[in-house]
Amino acid sequence: MTIELVITGGTIDKTYNELNGELGFNAAHSQLPKMLEQSRCSIDIHCHELFQIDSLEMDDEHRQSILEYCQHCDSDKILISHGTDTMPETAALLASHINDKTIVLFGAMIPYSIKGSDALFNLGTAISAVQQLAAGCYISMNGQIFDALKVNKNRNLGIFEEKSSE
């Protein structure tokens, strides 16, 4: 089994720029392969970097690129690193178009490069989830797995939670 890891950016992959005091992306490469190595992951995971952007900058064209890549990808097990702010929107799009693959989106509230990050925990949970779940689209955050169509980010608490059924 090969798992496809689609890299799209988000907080998980940001680094601190000491010169200007801002968080941004390292243009040279994603940190996800380093995270897999640090985690001593022995699963066959193929990394493909689509782009590195903050999810607040993600538009319909970006989401369409993610959808098309997932549709044409040979693997039926797909992980997607994604910014947390618009992760539910991307997950909902994927869930409405793909039902024969297992897709798990994950990210982090604190960048991998900063002490106390949740990045490795969320990556590990997502790797386990994509191997065990039935075909469908999910979000893995905060040690939980959510159905892509039944999840919200609670910005006040900084966590993901199941949508209330109102």
Side-chain angles (χ1 to χ4, degrees):
M1 167 182 35
T2 298
I3 297 171
E4 189 76 12
L5 172 52
V6 183
I7 299 166
T8 69
T11 297
I12 195 168
D13 228 345
K14 288 187 175 181
T15 57
Y16 178 73
N17 182 328
E18 295 175 9
L19 298 177
N20 64 16
E22 295 178 1
L23 290 174
F25 297 103
N26 180 336
H29 58 82
S30 167
Q31 298 182 92
L32 270 295
K34 179 180 175 182
M35 292 169 63
L36 291 168
E37 185 179 326
Q38 179 181 346
S39 301
R40 300 177 54 90
C41 184
S42 61
I43 299 165
D44 185 15
I45 298 180
H46 174 257
C47 295
H48 179 80
E49 191 171 320
L50 275 182
F51 41 77
Q52 284 205 30
I53 61 171
D54 188 291
S55 71
L56 290 174
E57 297 172 10
M58 193 173 285
D59 58 25
D60 291 341
E61 237 177 82
H62 292 108
R63 284 188 183 79
Q64 188 64 34
S65 294
I66 295 169
L67 173 62
E68 289 174 6
Y69 187 85
C70 290
Q71 287 173 322
H72 297 103
C73 170
D74 288 337
S75 180
D76 64 348
K77 306 284 187 195
I78 303 170
L79 295 171
I80 301 173
S81 66
H82 196 290
T84 61
D85 285 313
T86 64
M87 190 184 289
E89 289 89 333
T90 301
L93 174 71
L94 296 171
S96 68
H97 287 87
I98 301 173
N99 60 14
D100 61 341
K101 298 181 180 194
T102 305
I103 301 172
V104 179
L105 288 81
F106 70 98
M109 303 303 275
I110 301 169
Y112 165 70
S113 62
I114 295 179
K115 185 177 181 177
S117 174
D118 54 335
L120 284 174
F121 179 73
N122 291 338
L123 172 62
T125 304
I127 290 170
S128 293
V130 78
Q131 294 176 78
Q132 301 299 319
L133 294 168
C137 189
Y138 307 89
I139 287 179
S140 174
M141 289 292 296
N142 316 114
Q144 296 185 70
I145 309 300
F146 300 95
D147 180 302
L149 300 175
K150 298 177 183 174
V151 62
N152 283 325
K153 179 181 176 183
N154 182 326
R155 286 170 170 62
N156 293 328
L157 298 177
I159 61 168
F160 280 74
E161 58 191 14
E162 192 169 327
K163 283 183 184 178
S164 59
S165 50
E166 296 174 10

